[in-house]
Amino acid sequence: MELSELLKPLAGTPQTTAALVVLLLPLLGFLVLFIVGKRLPRHGDWLGIGLTAVAFILSGWLFAQTWNTATFHARTTWFSLPGNSLTDFTAGILLDNLTVLMLVIVTFISLLVQLFSVGYMHGDKGYSRYFAFLGLFTFSMLGIVLVDNLLLLFMFWELVGLSSYLLIGFWFEKPAAVAASKKAFLINRIGDIGLLLGLFAFYTYFRTFDLEALRLLIGNGVWEGGSFVTSYTLNNQEWLVELGPVFLTVAGLGLFMGCVGKSAQFPLQVWLPDAMQGPTPVSALIHAATMVAAGVYLVARCYAFFTPEALAVIALVGALTALVGALVALTQYDIKAVLAFSTISQLGYMVMGMGVGAHDAALFHLSTHAFFKAALFLNSGIIIHAMHRGLHQHHLPLDAQDIRHMGGLRKAMPLTFYTYLVAAAALVGLPLFSGFLSKDAILSGSWAWAQTMGGGLYFVIPVIGFSVVLLTAFYMARHMWFIFFGEFRAAFPVQDVRGKAGQEVERVMLLPVILLAILSLGIFFSLNPLSFGGSWLLQGISLEKLSTSYILSDELVQAVIARDAANHTLHLVFGILSTLLGVAGISWAILKYKSRTIGQLLHEQPQGRLAQFSHQHFRLNEFYDRTFVQPTLRLGHQLYRIDIKVIDYVLNNGSKALVILAKFVAWVDRWVVDGLVWLVGALSKVTGRVGRGLQNGKVQSYFAYSLFGFILLMLYIILF
């Protein structure tokens, strides 16, 4: 297989040109708003929204052109390096079902978030900067989605990290926001180290970052004697590649490390709850719908490179993350913290789906989660906004995000209640809602995977999945009860949470949550909202549709697909079981809290060691602080002391010694060296004068000198 032929430039099409325009529009918005945003009318919010709207319309057109119809690929030579063992570095755009689906999701959610932000961020002194950063983030996410090679993907991946750093720390006057942005940035870099090592591991042997070329090279290989063997031709030289399963597994897990960081998987999930320090619309955009989903998208794009062993590790990490996130959400009181840990749990579901071979189910859940979780976050923003309004009016120093100060808001804010209710039902996975379809698809796939792997301990994965359904229902019912039911518990009239002239919320903030709540219904994803099997979305993102000709785990994945298809009756059982678990979790929460008094709800604290352990996120932050942060700080402090006490002391005193030595050398040079030179000259001068006096040309002088010499000679003979 000629590698240069695989990487030859591909001519662009109207579709790839439109995709490039979609990519550049948010970048244009960022540049204009960042440079001259404050000088524009309304600080340029209309420009950012307008450009994103155009990008969304073009994305919709690309979706219609591509979905189940064609794949468009444009590629050009980016740069070349000398050497027979190197290929040209290429850059290109790849449009397939997965790409256009993510394009629509990213641009649509970004558009709604920007519309919502017009009301939420109104009057903020960083208004234009906020919309500029949203444009940069959207540009970065679209770059991850569109590019066709791992090197460019990594570059946009890092841009997403920068964008999230800027948005999380947007209110940089707050120390907590600054700390959260640094924490998110640094922990994501830990995962990115693994991603970088993984992509260079594949480049070392295959000499290309191009995803399509890598898939074809993988497809051209065979397993021989326990090793994976493939070959290709580069510059008329045949290259034979033989890779062991351990190397392939480790390299694949390196790529997965990028997902662990970006998608907040165990044990690197600790940054996501703190990231809620950013504006609430940012939480909806970054941490509910797009940024955290980038890790799952990465796993989907690189699915061909994972061995069965790597997939097993991915499934285990996803299951643990789903369980940990759900357990911690049980005991949180901050409205955004509950949703943040819920996001961690749902991301765990997606990663678990990838690991068990339910590639399409994981992407299905990514899509449904984007809508209902964005709806929940934006609705929480409305509630926080309303609570701030009431607290500010009555000058009360209460936490506007603490759900213990809420209650009874369903009457004062009915539209918010119903949209929140629909999105929460989708999150729990109740029938007729989108989450029911996608979550059941993952649970069914996990069960089929456990059967395929031989049962036993492998059934722990689906059991965890079903357990999380119960926990999710409980913490969301508890969440809803604290916010919307019972009596209002803050020390001001509940009607004061409403906006001006009796408005519940600004209309520009209401439209996005209504649209997102509607899109949380199952009918939009399957004509039969009680069965995921007939979902048009699920069928469109299958491995066959995404033109993945061969994957390292092909045998396992095909076996899981076949087993899942044979479990037709079990699908009905799983649907009923997940519904019963959801109802049980809701009932459990209602029975626990409906008899609580206002005082009990207002002053509730986690009871028992397990509850406190859960409330503190299993003290993972403290563990990392003791294990990594404090030793690093102590090491830094010791190095600082060494720098001050030793290095600086040596340098400072050494410089003084050098000055003294230089002055001594100057004295020696001046009085010894120069003195000796002067003395030699003076002696020569004196000697010359004496000699000149002796040689005066007078016979009398010569006779006197001879006589004086004769007398001295005679005295010497007589005396000695």
Side-chain angles (χ1 to χ4, degrees), residues 173-225:
E173 303 89 351
K174 297 167 54 180
V178 174
S181 63
K182 289 191 293 186
K183 184 177 183 180
F185 189 82
L186 292 174
I187 290 181
N188 270 273
R189 299 294 74 73
I190 295 172
D192 294 350
I193 292 172
L195 173 59
L196 192 62
L197 292 175
L199 64 91
F200 275 113
F202 282 101
Y203 178 80
T204 300
Y205 288 94
F206 295 106
R207 293 294 190 271
T208 181
F209 292 108
D210 189 273
L211 285 165
E212 292 296 294
L214 284 171
R215 290 195 193 103
L216 288 173
L217 291 173
I218 292 291
N220 193 45
V222 294
W223 288 96
E224 291 182 359

Coordinates of all heavy atoms in Angstrom, one line a residue, residues 173-225:
E173 N -12.0 38.6 39.0 CA -11.9 39.3 40.3 C -12.2 38.3 41.4 O -11.8 38.6 42.6 CB -12.9 40.4 40.3 CG -12.8 41.5 39.2 CD -13.6 41.1 38.0 OE1 -14.2 40.0 38.0 OE2 -13.7 41.9 37.1
K174 N -12.9 37.2 41.2 CA -13.2 36.2 42.2 C -12.0 35.2 42.3 O -11.7 34.5 41.3 CB -14.5 35.5 41.8 CG -15.7 36.4 41.8 CD -16.9 35.6 41.2 CE -17.2 34.3 41.8 NZ -18.3 33.6 41.2
P175 N -11.4 35.1 43.5 CA -10.3 34.1 43.6 C -10.8 32.7 43.3 O -10.0 31.9 42.8 CB -10.0 34.3 45.1 CG -10.4 35.6 45.5 CD -11.6 35.9 44.7
A176 N -12.0 32.3 43.6 CA -12.5 31.0 43.4 C -12.6 30.7 41.9 O -12.2 29.6 41.4 CB -13.9 30.8 44.0
A177 N -12.9 31.7 41.1 CA -13.0 31.5 39.6 C -11.6 31.3 39.1 O -11.4 30.5 38.2 CB -13.7 32.7 39.0
V178 N -10.6 32.1 39.6 CA -9.3 32.0 39.1 C -8.7 30.6 39.4 O -8.1 30.0 38.6 CB -8.4 33.1 39.7 CG1 -6.9 32.9 39.4 CG2 -8.9 34.5 39.3
A179 N -8.9 30.2 40.7 CA -8.5 28.9 41.1 C -9.1 27.8 40.3 O -8.4 26.8 39.9 CB -8.8 28.7 42.6
A180 N -10.4 27.9 40.0 CA -11.1 26.9 39.2 C -10.6 26.8 37.8 O -10.4 25.7 37.2 CB -12.6 27.2 39.2
S181 N -10.3 28.0 37.2 CA -9.8 28.0 35.8 C -8.4 27.3 35.7 O -8.1 26.6 34.8 CB -9.8 29.4 35.2 OG -8.9 30.2 36.0
K182 N -7.6 27.6 36.7 CA -6.2 27.0 36.7 C -6.3 25.5 37.0 O -5.6 24.8 36.3 CB -5.4 27.7 37.8 CG -5.0 29.1 37.5 CD -3.9 29.6 38.5 CE -4.4 29.8 39.9 NZ -3.5 30.4 40.8
K183 N -7.2 25.1 37.8 CA -7.4 23.7 38.1 C -7.8 23.0 36.9 O -7.3 21.9 36.5 CB -8.4 23.5 39.2 CG -8.6 22.1 39.7 CD -9.5 22.1 40.9 CE -9.7 20.7 41.4 NZ -10.6 20.6 42.6
A184 N -8.8 23.5 36.2 CA -9.3 22.9 35.0 C -8.2 22.8 33.9 O -8.0 21.7 33.3 CB -10.5 23.6 34.4
F185 N -7.5 23.8 33.8 CA -6.4 23.9 32.7 C -5.3 22.8 33.0 O -4.9 22.1 32.2 CB -5.8 25.3 32.7 CG -4.9 25.5 31.5 CD1 -5.4 25.8 30.3 CD2 -3.5 25.4 31.7 CE1 -4.5 26.0 29.2 CE2 -2.6 25.6 30.7 CZ -3.1 25.9 29.4
L186 N -4.9 22.8 34.3 CA -3.8 21.9 34.6 C -4.2 20.4 34.6 O -3.4 19.6 34.1 CB -3.2 22.3 36.0 CG -2.5 23.7 36.1 CD1 -2.2 24.0 37.6 CD2 -1.3 23.7 35.3
I187 N -5.3 20.1 35.1 CA -5.8 18.7 35.1 C -6.0 18.2 33.7 O -5.7 17.1 33.4 CB -7.0 18.5 36.0 CG1 -6.6 18.7 37.5 CG2 -7.6 17.2 35.8 CD1 -7.8 18.6 38.4
N188 N -6.5 19.1 32.8 CA -6.7 18.7 31.4 C -5.3 18.5 30.8 O -5.2 17.6 29.9 CB -7.5 19.8 30.7 CG -9.0 19.5 30.7 OD1 -9.5 18.8 29.9 ND2 -9.6 20.1 31.7
R189 N -4.3 19.2 31.2 CA -3.0 19.0 30.6 C -2.5 17.6 31.0 O -1.7 17.0 30.2 CB -2.0 20.0 31.1 CG -2.3 21.4 30.7 CD -2.3 21.8 29.3 NE -3.4 21.3 28.5 CZ -4.7 21.8 28.6 NH1 -4.9 22.8 29.4 NH2 -5.6 21.3 27.8
I190 N -2.9 17.0 32.1 CA -2.4 15.7 32.5 C -2.9 14.7 31.5 O -2.2 13.8 31.0 CB -2.9 15.4 33.9 CG1 -2.3 16.3 35.0 CG2 -2.6 13.9 34.3 CD1 -2.9 16.1 36.4
G191 N -4.2 14.8 31.2 CA -4.8 13.9 30.2 C -4.2 14.1 28.8 O -4.0 13.2 28.0
D192 N -3.9 15.4 28.5 CA -3.3 15.7 27.2 C -1.9 15.1 27.0 O -1.5 14.9 25.8 CB -3.3 17.2 27.0 CG -4.7 17.8 26.9 OD1 -5.7 17.0 26.8 OD2 -4.9 19.0 26.9
I193 N -1.2 14.9 28.1 CA 0.1 14.3 27.9 C 0.0 12.9 27.4 O 0.7 12.5 26.5 CB 0.8 14.3 29.3 CG1 1.2 15.7 29.8 CG2 2.1 13.4 29.3 CD1 1.7 15.7 31.2
G194 N -1.0 12.2 27.9 CA -1.3 10.8 27.4 C -1.7 10.9 25.9 O -1.3 10.0 25.1
L195 N -2.6 11.8 25.6 CA -3.1 12.0 24.2 C -1.9 12.2 23.3 O -1.8 11.6 22.2 CB -4.1 13.1 24.1 CG -4.5 13.5 22.7 CD1 -5.2 12.4 22.0 CD2 -5.5 14.7 22.8
L196 N -1.0 13.1 23.7 CA 0.2 13.4 22.9 C 1.1 12.2 22.7 O 1.5 11.9 21.5 CB 1.0 14.6 23.5 CG 2.0 15.3 22.6 CD1 1.4 15.9 21.4 CD2 2.8 16.3 23.5
L197 N 1.3 11.5 23.7 CA 2.1 10.3 23.6 C 1.5 9.2 22.7 O 2.1 8.5 22.0 CB 2.4 9.7 25.0 CG 3.3 10.5 25.9 CD1 3.4 9.9 27.3 CD2 4.7 10.7 25.4
G198 N 0.2 9.1 22.9 CA -0.6 8.1 22.1 C -0.5 8.5 20.6 O -0.2 7.6 19.7
L199 N -0.7 9.7 20.2 CA -0.7 10.0 18.8 C 0.7 9.9 18.2 O 0.8 9.5 17.0 CB -1.4 11.4 18.5 CG -0.8 12.7 19.1 CD1 0.2 13.3 18.1 CD2 -1.9 13.7 19.4
F200 N 1.7 10.3 19.0 CA 3.0 10.1 18.5 C 3.5 8.6 18.4 O 4.3 8.3 17.6 CB 4.0 10.9 19.3 CG 4.1 12.4 18.8 CD1 3.7 13.4 19.6 CD2 4.7 12.7 17.6 CE1 3.8 14.7 19.2 CE2 4.7 14.0 17.1 CZ 4.3 15.0 18.0
A201 N 2.9 7.8 19.3 CA 3.2 6.4 19.2 C 2.7 5.8 17.8 O 3.4 5.0 17.2 CB 2.5 5.6 20.3
F202 N 1.5 6.2 17.4 CA 1.0 5.7 16.1 C 1.8 6.4 15.0 O 2.1 5.7 14.0 CB -0.5 6.0 16.0 CG -1.4 5.1 16.8 CD1 -1.9 5.4 18.0 CD2 -1.6 3.8 16.2 CE1 -2.7 4.6 18.7 CE2 -2.4 2.9 16.9 CZ -3.0 3.3 18.2
Y203 N 2.2 7.6 15.1 CA 2.9 8.3 14.1 C 4.3 7.6 13.9 O 4.8 7.5 12.8 CB 3.1 9.8 14.3 CG 3.9 10.5 13.3 CD1 3.4 10.8 12.1 CD2 5.3 10.7 13.5 CE1 4.1 11.5 11.1 CE2 6.1 11.3 12.5 CZ 5.5 11.7 11.3 OH 6.2 12.3 10.3
T204 N 4.9 7.2 15.0 CA 6.2 6.6 14.9 C 6.3 5.4 14.0 O 7.2 5.2 13.2 CB 6.7 6.2 16.3 OG1 6.7 7.3 17.2 CG2 8.1 5.5 16.3
Y205 N 5.2 4.6 14.0 CA 5.2 3.4 13.2 C 4.5 3.6 11.9 O 4.8 2.9 10.9 CB 4.5 2.3 14.0 CG 5.4 1.8 15.1 CD1 5.3 2.3 16.4 CD2 6.4 0.8 14.9 CE1 6.1 1.8 17.4 CE2 7.2 0.4 15.9 CZ 7.1 0.9 17.2 OH 7.9 0.4 18.2
F206 N 3.5 4.5 11.8 CA 2.7 4.6 10.5 C 3.1 5.8 9.7 O 2.6 6.0 8.6 CB 1.2 4.6 10.9 CG 0.8 3.2 11.4 CD1 0.5 3.1 12.8 CD2 0.7 2.1 10.6 CE1 0.0 1.9 13.3 CE2 0.3 0.9 11.2 CZ -0.1 0.8 12.5
R207 N 3.9 6.7 10.3 CA 4.4 7.9 9.6 C 3.3 8.8 9.0 O 3.5 9.5 8.1 CB 5.3 7.5 8.4 CG 6.6 6.8 8.8 CD 7.5 7.8 9.5 NE 8.8 7.2 9.7 CZ 9.2 6.5 10.8 NH1 8.3 6.2 11.7 NH2 10.4 6.1 10.9
T208 N 2.2 8.9 9.7 CA 1.1 9.8 9.3 C 0.2 10.0 10.5 O 0.0 9.2 11.4 CB 0.3 9.3 8.1 OG1 -0.7 10.2 7.8 CG2 -0.4 7.9 8.5
F209 N -0.4 11.2 10.5 CA -1.4 11.6 11.5 C -2.8 11.5 10.9 O -3.8 11.6 11.6 CB -1.2 13.0 12.1 CG 0.0 13.1 12.9 CD1 1.1 13.9 12.4 CD2 0.1 12.6 14.2 CE1 2.2 14.0 13.2 CE2 1.2 12.8 14.9 CZ 2.3 13.5 14.4
D210 N -2.9 11.3 9.6 CA -4.2 11.3 8.9 C -5.1 10.1 9.4 O -4.7 8.9 9.4 CB -4.0 11.2 7.4 CG -5.3 11.4 6.6 OD1 -6.0 10.4 6.4 OD2 -5.6 12.6 6.3
L211 N -6.3 10.4 9.8 CA -7.2 9.4 10.4 C -7.6 8.4 9.4 O -7.7 7.2 9.7 CB -8.4 10.1 11.1 CG -8.1 10.8 12.4 CD1 -9.3 11.7 12.7 CD2 -7.9 9.8 13.5
E212 N -8.0 8.8 8.2 CA -8.4 7.9 7.2 C -7.3 7.0 6.7 O -7.5 5.8 6.6 CB -8.9 8.7 5.9 CG -10.2 9.4 6.2 CD -11.4 8.5 6.5 OE1 -11.8 7.7 5.6 OE2 -11.9 8.5 7.6
A213 N -6.1 7.5 6.6 CA -4.9 6.7 6.2 C -4.6 5.7 7.3 O -4.3 4.5 7.1 CB -3.7 7.6 6.0
L214 N -4.7 6.1 8.6 CA -4.4 5.2 9.7 C -5.4 4.1 9.7 O -5.1 2.9 10.0 CB -4.5 6.0 11.0 CG -3.2 6.9 11.3 CD1 -3.5 7.7 12.6 CD2 -2.0 6.0 11.6
R215 N -6.7 4.4 9.5 CA -7.7 3.3 9.5 C -7.4 2.3 8.3 O -7.6 1.1 8.5 CB -9.1 3.9 9.3 CG -9.6 4.7 10.5 CD -11.1 5.0 10.3 NE -11.6 6.0 11.3 CZ -11.8 7.2 11.0 NH1 -11.7 7.7 9.8 NH2 -12.2 8.1 11.9
L216 N -7.0 2.8 7.2 CA -6.7 1.9 6.1 C -5.5 1.0 6.4 O -5.5 -0.1 6.0 CB -6.5 2.7 4.8 CG -7.8 3.3 4.2 CD1 -7.5 4.2 3.0 CD2 -8.8 2.2 3.7
L217 N -4.5 1.6 7.0 CA -3.3 0.8 7.4 C -3.7 -0.2 8.4 O -3.2 -1.3 8.4 CB -2.2 1.8 7.9 CG -1.6 2.7 6.9 CD1 -0.7 3.7 7.6 CD2 -0.9 1.9 5.8
I218 N -4.5 0.2 9.4 CA -5.0 -0.8 10.3 C -5.8 -1.9 9.6 O -5.6 -3.1 9.9 CB -5.9 -0.2 11.4 CG1 -5.1 0.8 12.3 CG2 -6.6 -1.2 12.3 CD1 -4.1 0.1 13.2
G219 N -6.6 -1.5 8.7 CA -7.4 -2.5 7.9 C -6.6 -3.4 7.1 O -7.0 -4.5 6.8
N220 N -5.4 -3.0 6.7 CA -4.5 -3.8 5.9 C -3.7 -4.8 6.7 O -3.0 -5.6 6.1 CB -3.6 -2.9 5.1 CG -2.9 -3.6 4.0 OD1 -3.5 -4.3 3.2 ND2 -1.6 -3.4 3.9
G221 N -3.8 -4.7 8.0 CA -3.0 -5.5 8.9 C -3.7 -6.8 9.3 O -4.9 -7.0 9.1
V222 N -2.9 -7.8 9.8 CA -3.4 -9.1 10.2 C -2.7 -9.4 11.5 O -1.6 -8.9 11.8 CB -3.2 -10.2 9.2 CG1 -4.0 -9.9 7.9 CG2 -1.7 -10.3 8.9
W223 N -3.3 -10.3 12.3 CA -2.7 -10.8 13.5 C -1.9 -12.1 13.2 O -2.5 -13.0 12.7 CB -3.8 -11.1 14.6 CG -4.4 -9.8 15.2 CD1 -5.5 -9.2 14.8 CD2 -3.8 -9.1 16.2 NE1 -5.7 -8.1 15.6 CE2 -4.7 -8.0 16.5 CE3 -2.7 -9.2 17.0 CZ2 -4.5 -7.0 17.5 CZ3 -2.4 -8.2 18.0 CH2 -3.3 -7.1 18.2
E224 N -0.7 -12.1 13.5 CA 0.2 -13.2 13.2 C 1.0 -13.5 14.4 O 1.8 -12.7 14.9 CB 1.1 -13.0 12.0 CG 0.4 -12.9 10.7 CD 1.4 -12.7 9.5 OE1 2.6 -12.6 9.8 OE2 0.9 -12.6 8.4
G225 N 0.9 -14.7 15.0 CA 1.7 -15.1 16.2 C 1.5 -14.2 17.3 O 2.5 -13.9 18.1

